[in-house]
Amino acid sequence: MSVHNSINTGKPITVTIDGKVCKSTFGKTILQIARENDIYIPTMCYLSKVQPIGSCRMCVVNVEGVDGMILSCQEKAVDGAVITTNNSALFHERQNIMKLYDVNHPLECGVCDKSGECDLQNKTMEFDVDTQEFTARDQHRPVENWGHVSYDPALCIMCEKCVRVSTEITGDEALKVKFGGYGSTIINVKQEKNYASLGEAAAVCPVGALVSTAFKYTSNAWELTKIPSACPHCGGGCQMYYEVKRDRIYRVTNEFEFSTLCGAGRFGFDYANEGVSKDPAAFNAAVEAFKNADSVVFAPQISNEEAMILQKLKEKYGFKLVSHEARAYQKFMAAYSTVTGKHLYNGDLKTLSDSQAVIVLGIRINNDSPTVKYHINMASKWQRARVIYMHPMEDSEIQNIVTQFIKYEVGSEEGVAALLAHTLLEGNEDVTKTLREYLDDLDIGNLSAECNVGEEELDALKKSLLKKRGFSLVVGSDLYMHPRAEQIAKLVALLETYAGFNVICVPPAGNAMGVSLICDLDDSAEGKTVGYNVKGDFTLSALGDGDLDMPALNQQEGTLTTVDKRVVPMHVALPYGGYVLNDIANALGIHAKYTIDYTPMLPVAKGFKKTVFDALDEYFDATGTEHRGYLLASQKVPVKRTLDEIEEIEAFDGAVVYRCDPVEQFSPFTAKSTLLKDEPVMLGSTQFAAAAKLQDGDTITFEIDGISFERLFKIDTEMKGTIALNPTFDMGLSASLLSSYRFSRLVFRKTNNENIGNNDE
Amino acid sequence: MGLEQFKNRNVGQQNYVMLDLEHTPETGMGKFRQVVRRTFKAELFVGLWVTMREMINALFKGQMHTVKYPFEKLPISPRYRAIHEMLRLLESGHYRCIGCGLCEKICISNCITMDTRYDENQRKEVSEYTINFGRCIFCGYCAEVCPELAIVHGPRYETASEQRASFSLFEDMLTPIDKLNLQQEYDGFGAVTPNADENIKKTPLAY
């Protein structure tokens, strides 16, 4: 992680730990090498995914020829070092540390939620601390309720893991240490939008100081069955465990040493379709509906296997298969691959977090893809990366990591992509002659004026990339849904091909990436429709409000395709008594015993492997390497680098709304989760309110893509500009019917209550 | 009390006393004499007197020996493991159970089920607690593992009920609050040892 000694980093070294000869590379700490070689060194504050904290001093070791004890978590191993991890002096040192940790620690293990998986408990036992020999005057430390998480300072051992994850990982910097000697505590400096930090903090807390408020005192850790799975909400597919007892999910945990969950993953788990029994009449109606369907419309919140079933049904029955977001992404990636010659983008999250410069284009990253944002934050914190955020709207939530915000006009993404390509490929010698001509022919002055991106801003961007190594580009769904998406894709792809960028095209929703790879999608629906989690003439719904119930994603087995290009398995957390899509497929003549029988049938041509579901791994090894499912193999695609002229940019004047869910809301499923309480309000700045002649508290109705919204308007004083945020997570079965560009002009009608008085409208 | 005296199975060395019983007559005359002697010795009236005396004691002096079960029950050993009881704290009257879940975990017949919650006073509260007495084998592990002596075995040994598996709720087992003064401390397995005070190590206080 550190750039120090970068010259020798990676050089092979040999060290001896407890008599065992260990081969490794320079740059790794003694602790890391020990763990690679299954040698145990006790730690209290060490957390693999952040930089060493060094607050506990439990990891002390002796190195031959060095006086005193060395902190193995911080000290890089040098070639030939002879290290002892345990002897009576070290044991005594560690025992004393544990004795100090135990001073005044409340003896409430009987009720503590952490009991049974508590580091303090384990180490207290390990180091034989059965009496308190030291003493300190205790203080009054009342329990604090921070919303999703409660903090009990009396239990806190001040390891600072929580502060580190909120700074280095989630990046909202919600938690801080309040220094004060023995009276030190953790404080929460961010009262809102802190789900992720708090959830992550509760996960990494080695004792019971930080515990999810909803989970607190409801169950002991050892009573819960851990069901490994992947989070289906945003397309990140983050590793998670559903912790289940008596057919109820009590909480969600994760392999917090190596992976991270956002608030939606951690708190949005109770969206199961419960109490469903088999209704043969509805089932037969569904089978009939499929037989007669002209189109099947579905939301991207489905597994790869279900997508495969729909694709097989399409092949047999010839209906149109429609999923708007996935289709937009599919077209974008198809255009993208004509330039790169590979069917997937080259980027991955690990490389992103190691980048020294990150450009984010066309995505409200903090809302759309938390896991990608976390990796950008890691780059920012560990590599001091330049983060250039390009979007029509500033986002105050990420201003602590963004080093340059470039605002462009709504609708001008194509021009911006062209400007970016022009700037970053200037002087690049790998660029082909025709491409060079194309780039030289661009009317930069005009583009810059139309996009409202100053040439000096681009120069500053270019300058800031000088002397940096490792560039990443993150693009998102503003581009996929853009009318000129394919042209934008090609321009972005140039940066992967010629400028060496690590590009991540963040999937727009749910399993859109998997769907786009598996299904042969059509642009629009026609005739009789069957909707799956979407309103259709016949509706299959996992939300429980359709004509036939379907299991939610935590009630079925299957795989998801993640932003990291990984196929990861999900397991059944809750029982489901009704019919599943595979039953319908069986009734329609496409036979498979279980849905997961389709796992090995996923298209190899798209990078999937013929691995059966039960053979998919789900673990991280001791060094933190991910062994979950498999990585999609990159497939070659014919190259055809033809770029069009940049089209005239359509002006979006006046009040504009941007389809964007609040942080930690992604779909009707997160909306159904009781712990994620977000009001579906339209948020705009005072400037927006003035432009649209709206007041705080007005209710308005408007239509986008034929879907009518009724929204309460609220002014958010932290926002600027004339764009308002319009959430869609509460739209239930209509949410996935939206197919147009994410920005739209706001044409609305005020529908305030009559008694408020007549408005001018 | 040691168990040595029970382990000594050498009968001959114990202090048995031989009763001085007369020999059974063998001749007809001998038998006749025994009958005549017993008849005129008025032993019958001795026996009748004993009956009479006990009747008078029982009826008029309140010394009835008959136990009117089920209205009356004999005291039972504290180590007997009968239907569970939930005890209260004598000082506050609050139930002792802290909801730690150890009884539920240790129960080998899986008959204890509990739910807990975070209550308004920021304490762990037992929101539901049941024991399925159709399954309970009265092994006593729950009482033994309980760190608070909250769940104990009481003396109520009648386990017959109308249903094969009847559930017992927390409230049914809990000492009624108005009978708190009658609550007996439990002496069975898991109870505090008589010399517990000697084993306590005090936390040092420097101030």
Side-chain angles (χ1 to χ4, degrees):
Chain A
M1 279 166 214
S2 172
V3 287
H4 303 298
N5 300 318
S6 54
I7 305 154
N8 289 327
T9 301
K11 210 178 81 178
I13 59 168
T14 309
V15 296
T16 312
I17 305 177
D18 290 345
K20 184 175 177 184
V21 178
C22 308
K23 289 196 188 305
S24 189
T25 52
F26 185 80
K28 286 188 176 156
T29 62
I30 296 171
L31 182 62
Q32 280 170 333
I33 297 173
R35 289 198 173 176
E36 277 172 16
N37 290 282
D38 284 337
I39 296 166
Y40 173 65
I41 299 177
T43 58
M44 280 298 285
C45 73
Y46 188 75
L47 183 64
S48 308
K49 70 181 174 188
V50 298
Q51 292 189 321
I53 300 167
S55 71
C56 75
R57 310 188 62 85
M58 285 286 282
C59 64
V60 286
V61 293
N62 285 134
V63 179
E64 241 181 60
V66 182
D67 282 343
M69 295 167 183
I70 302 279
L71 288 188
S72 64
C73 69
Q74 291 181 332
E75 206 61 32
K76 290 201 181 77
V78 288
D79 200 13
V82 179
I83 297 151
T84 314
T85 66
N86 204 357
N87 56 35
S88 66
L90 289 171
F91 183 85
H92 191 67
E93 172 81 8
R94 289 171 184 153
Q95 192 182 40
N96 275 335
I97 293 167
M98 288 320 299
K99 282 179 183 171
L100 287 172
Y101 270 134
D102 285 332
V103 170
N104 290 342
H105 192 89
L107 280 172
E108 57 178 55
C109 298
V111 295
C112 183
D113 288 301
K114 202 71 184 178
S115 181
E117 54 175 22
C118 173
D119 274 359
L120 190 75
Q121 234 177 18
N122 294 346
K123 298 280 183 322
T124 300
M125 295 290 174
E126 188 181 334
F127 293 98
D128 291 339
V129 183
D130 58 356
T131 47
Q132 182 175 328
E133 292 166 18
F134 304 120
T135 171
R137 180 180 287 275
D138 209 354
Q139 300 155 343
H140 179 54
R141 301 174 199 243
V143 177
E144 290 168 40
N145 188 341
W146 291 344
H148 277 296
V149 160
S150 311
Y151 174 57
D152 189 342
L155 294 170
C156 181
I157 60 165
M158 294 305 293
C159 67
E160 298 177 31
K161 282 184 191 177
C162 53
V163 176
R164 290 304 190 90
V165 289
S166 90
T167 312
E168 289 181 30
I169 307 291
T170 60
D172 52 17
E173 293 165 21
L175 303 179
K176 294 262 182 313
V177 179
K178 187 180 153 210
F179 291 101
Y182 185 57
S184 300
T185 52
I186 305 295
I187 49 169
N188 178 17
V189 293
K190 195 160 181 274
Q191 300 307 323
E192 285 179 342
K193 298 179 186 168
N194 56 8
Y195 298 164
S197 272
L198 293 188
E200 210 25 46
V204 300
C205 186
V207 292
L210 286 163
V211 174
S212 162
T213 312
F215 173 71
K216 189 158 189 161
Y217 293 166
T218 54
S219 180
N220 288 310
W222 64 76
E223 293 165 8
L224 299 166
T225 312
K226 283 187 173 200
I227 296 174
S229 197
C231 173
H233 289 316
C234 80
C238 302
Q239 188 276 337
M240 72 196 292
Y241 291 110
Y242 292 108
E243 299 217 347
V244 179
K245 181 170 87 171
R246 294 197 285 267
D247 293 341
R248 194 187 126 197
I249 301 175
Y250 275 72
R251 61 170 172 181
V252 163
T253 53
N254 65 335
E255 287 287 350
F256 57 83
E257 281 283 332
F258 310 112
S259 78
T260 306
L261 268 184
C262 70
R266 200 173 292 282
F267 300 113
F269 53 79
D270 55 339
Y271 54 84
N273 194 8
E274 283 171 321
V276 177
S277 54
K278 292 196 172 179
D279 178 358
F283 179 73
N284 292 334
V287 172
E288 280 309 305
F290 264 96
K291 279 182 186 161
N292 301 326
D294 297 309
S295 310
V296 172
V297 190
F298 63 103
Q301 283 84 20
I302 70 170
S303 66
N304 290 333
E305 287 71 17
E306 285 181 297
M308 192 69 214
I309 292 174
L310 289 176
Q311 173 62 21
K312 294 225 172 215
L313 287 174
K314 176 186 172 161
E315 282 161 16
K316 181 160 182 184
Y317 289 89
F319 49 67
K320 294 203 171 214
L321 203 50
V322 179
S323 183
H324 296 297
E325 286 156 308
R327 176 62 177 152
Y329 187 64
Q330 190 174 47
K331 281 160 99 176
F332 185 89
M333 287 314 297
Y336 188 91
S337 59
T338 59
V339 174
T340 58
K342 285 173 283 177
H343 85 303
L344 291 167
Y345 47 85
N346 67 342
D348 61 71
L349 295 175
K350 177 79 179 62
T351 318
L352 175 61
S353 65
D354 288 339
S355 305
Q356 292 187 2
V358 182
I359 300 176
V360 183
L361 171 65
I363 181 168
R364 196 170 163 90
I365 191 74
N366 195 42
N367 301 51
D368 292 356
S369 184
T371 183
V372 176
K373 185 239 165 165
Y374 301 157
H375 285 82
I376 296 173
N377 179 57
M378 292 173 208
S380 164
K381 297 284 152 59
W382 296 338
Q383 311 294 341
R384 300 207 192 116
R386 301 279 305 176
V387 178
I388 296 113
Y389 182 55
M390 306 178 79
H391 200 265
M393 296 178 77
E394 196 162 357
D395 186 355
S396 59
E397 287 298 313
I398 56 167
Q399 64 187 9
N400 58 338
I401 56 170
V402 171
T403 51
Q404 188 186 7
F405 170 59
I406 298 181
K407 182 180 164 149
Y408 57 80
E409 284 298 307
V410 173
S412 70
E413 281 85 352
E414 186 189 3
V416 175
L419 284 173
L420 207 55
H422 180 266
T423 313
L424 297 171
L425 295 177
E426 206 169 23
N428 189 316
E429 284 162 13
D430 301 336
V431 175
T432 57
K433 206 172 154 206
T434 43
L435 185 60
R436 172 59 56 209
E437 277 168 16
Y438 173 83
L439 289 172
D440 289 343
D441 283 350
L442 290 173
D443 184 355
I444 297 303
N446 184 34
L447 277 178
S448 153
E450 283 213 358
C451 305
N452 205 4
V453 176
E455 284 177 60
E456 70 288 346
E457 285 180 283
L458 294 168
D459 286 343
L461 186 158
K462 191 164 187 201
K463 236 179 242 168
S464 69
L465 301 191
L466 290 174
K467 294 185 192 162
K468 296 273 182 188
R469 286 175 300 128
F471 304 131
S472 287
L473 173 66
V474 176
V475 299
S477 54
D478 294 10
L479 310 186
Y480 315 146
M481 303 286 217
H482 194 276
R484 299 278 293 164
E486 290 169 31
Q487 166 80 354
I488 298 171
K490 290 177 190 168
L491 288 166
V492 170
L494 292 178
L495 297 178
E496 175 182 325
T497 310
Y498 296 112
F501 269 75
N502 169 62
V503 182
I504 296 179
C505 305
V506 180
N511 192 23
M513 182 154 169
V515 171
S516 75
L517 292 172
I518 294 159
C519 296
D520 183 9
L521 295 168
D522 297 289
D523 284 330
S524 57
E526 59 181 38
K528 278 194 175 168
T529 58
V530 172
Y532 183 15
N533 289 334
V534 166
K535 190 90 205 137
D537 294 329
F538 189 92
T539 309
L540 311 171
S541 173
L543 295 163
D545 54 356
D547 300 313
L548 179 69
D549 281 301
M550 282 282 126
L553 283 175
N554 55 12
Q555 293 172 297
Q556 52 173 311
E557 286 181 305
T559 57
L560 291 174
T561 314
T562 75
V563 65
D564 221 12
K565 300 178 291 186
R566 195 175 271 283
V567 179
V568 294
M570 292 186 299
H571 292 277
V572 177
L574 294 176
Y576 174 74
Y579 292 102
V580 299
L581 194 61
N582 189 39
D583 296 329
I584 297 176
N586 278 325
L588 289 166
I590 296 192
H591 297 289
K593 194 172 180 198
Y594 301 112
T595 307
I596 52 162
D597 291 346
Y598 290 100
T599 311
M601 293 187 219
L602 294 173
V604 178
K606 296 290 184 182
F608 290 95
K609 289 184 183 167
K610 287 184 177 172
T611 317
V612 291
F613 183 81
D614 292 334
L616 297 174
D617 283 335
E618 265 169 295
Y619 68 95
F620 288 84
D621 64 19
T623 57
T625 313
E626 191 171 358
H627 299 272
R628 294 170 63 218
Y630 57 83
L631 285 169
L632 286 174
S634 184
Q635 302 290 323
K636 280 192 177 165
V637 172
V639 178
K640 189 162 165 275
R641 290 180 188 137
T642 50
L643 288 154
D644 301 335
E645 287 296 303
I646 307 295
E647 255 189 15
E648 194 77 355
I649 288 155
E650 189 192 359
F652 277 71
D653 301 325
V656 172
V657 289
Y658 180 51
R659 267 204 323 273
C660 182
D661 287 325
V663 180
E664 322 294 0
Q665 288 286 359
F666 298 103
S667 65
F669 296 100
T670 54
K672 198 176 167 186
S673 303
T674 49
L675 293 182
L676 301 173
K677 291 185 207 97
D678 287 282
E679 290 297 314
V681 293
M682 178 185 268
L683 287 175
S685 62
T686 41
Q687 205 183 339
F688 174 87
K693 298 200 184 74
L694 277 173
Q695 282 171 347
D696 191 85
D698 280 347
T699 308
I700 58 171
T701 54
F702 53 92
E703 273 198 5
I704 300 172
D705 296 343
I707 293 153
S708 79
F709 287 84
E710 183 174 308
R711 287 274 178 257
L712 180 69
F713 174 73
K714 283 205 171 157
I715 290 178
D716 183 344
T717 48
E718 285 195 356
M719 286 171 65
K720 293 173 197 159
T722 57
I723 307 168
L725 295 174
N726 178 34
T728 58
F729 69 97
D730 64 318
M731 299 304 287
L733 296 173
S734 304
S736 291
L737 286 172
L738 293 157
S739 58
S740 63
Y741 181 48
R742 279 179 83 180
F743 293 92
S744 51
R745 273 184 211 87
L746 182 61
V747 182
F748 65 91
R749 208 157 47 80
K750 259 193 216 182
T751 51
N752 286 359
N753 291 338
E754 305 306 317
N755 56 8
I756 292 172
N758 288 329
N759 281 306
D760 295 338
E761 194 63 27
Chain B
M1 187 170 79
L3 298 171
E4 291 77 16
Q5 59 169 324
F6 296 109
K7 288 180 178 166
N8 182 9
R9 292 186 179 80
N10 193 349
V11 176
Q13 290 179 0
Q14 285 164 318
N15 301 323
Y16 288 93
V17 177
M18 194 62 82
L19 293 176
D20 183 22
L21 297 171
E22 62 179 317
H23 293 288
T24 308
E26 282 162 12
T27 59
M29 195 58 194
K31 286 176 184 171
F32 175 72
R33 276 207 218 131
Q34 192 183 43
V35 169
V36 172
R37 192 172 68 245
R38 286 186 176 176
T39 307
F40 292 101
K41 213 180 170 188
E43 274 187 343
L44 176 66
F45 298 99
V46 174
L48 284 173
W49 163 242
V50 170
T51 311
M52 184 77 171
R53 187 186 66 207
E54 291 305 310
M55 193 181 79
I56 291 165
N57 280 347
L59 292 178
F60 305 111
K61 294 186 177 171
Q63 290 175 10
M64 180 74 90
H65 285 276
T66 313
V67 177
K68 292 180 184 165
Y69 183 85
F71 306 107
E72 249 186 289
K73 284 164 198 168
L74 288 174
I76 200 156
S77 160
R79 302 181 122 197
Y80 191 81
R81 301 191 297 267
I83 295 279
H84 306 71
E85 281 183 355
M86 289 285 173
L87 302 188
R88 290 181 187 270
L89 290 168
L90 294 172
E91 296 86 349
S92 65
H94 195 278
Y95 55 78
R96 291 181 182 177
C97 179
I98 56 168
C100 70
L102 290 180
C103 49
E104 185 185 16
K105 177 70 184 170
I106 205 165
C107 181
I108 53 171
S109 53
N110 274 344
C111 66
I112 301 181
T113 311
M114 64 191 295
D115 255 332
T116 52
R117 69 177 198 105
Y118 185 48
D119 79 357
E120 293 71 27
N121 306 319
Q122 299 183 328
R123 291 176 66 93
K124 192 171 189 176
E125 186 193 61
V126 185
S127 48
E128 257 177 62
Y129 192 103
T130 58
I131 299 178
N132 181 344
F133 285 118
R135 292 184 66 97
C136 182
I137 59 164
F138 300 95
C139 63
Y141 282 180
C142 50
E144 196 171 344
V145 78
C146 182
E148 300 288 317
L149 276 184
I151 184 165
V152 299
H153 282 290
R156 208 182 108 202
Y157 44 78
E158 301 96 332
T159 49
S161 71
E162 289 167 359
Q163 290 177 5
R164 187 181 163 86
S166 69
F167 285 84
S168 188
L169 302 176
F170 191 70
E171 292 73 25
D172 301 336
M173 293 180 278
L174 192 60
T175 312
I177 189 73
D178 54 334
K179 299 214 173 117
L180 183 61
N181 56 341
L182 301 176
Q183 180 176 292
Q184 294 291 312
E185 203 46 72
Y186 178 64
D187 292 325
F189 283 111
V192 183
T193 53
N195 63 340
D197 283 352
E198 295 160 24
N199 294 333
I200 288 178
K201 285 182 193 166
K202 286 184 179 162
T203 302
L205 294 172
Y207 43 86

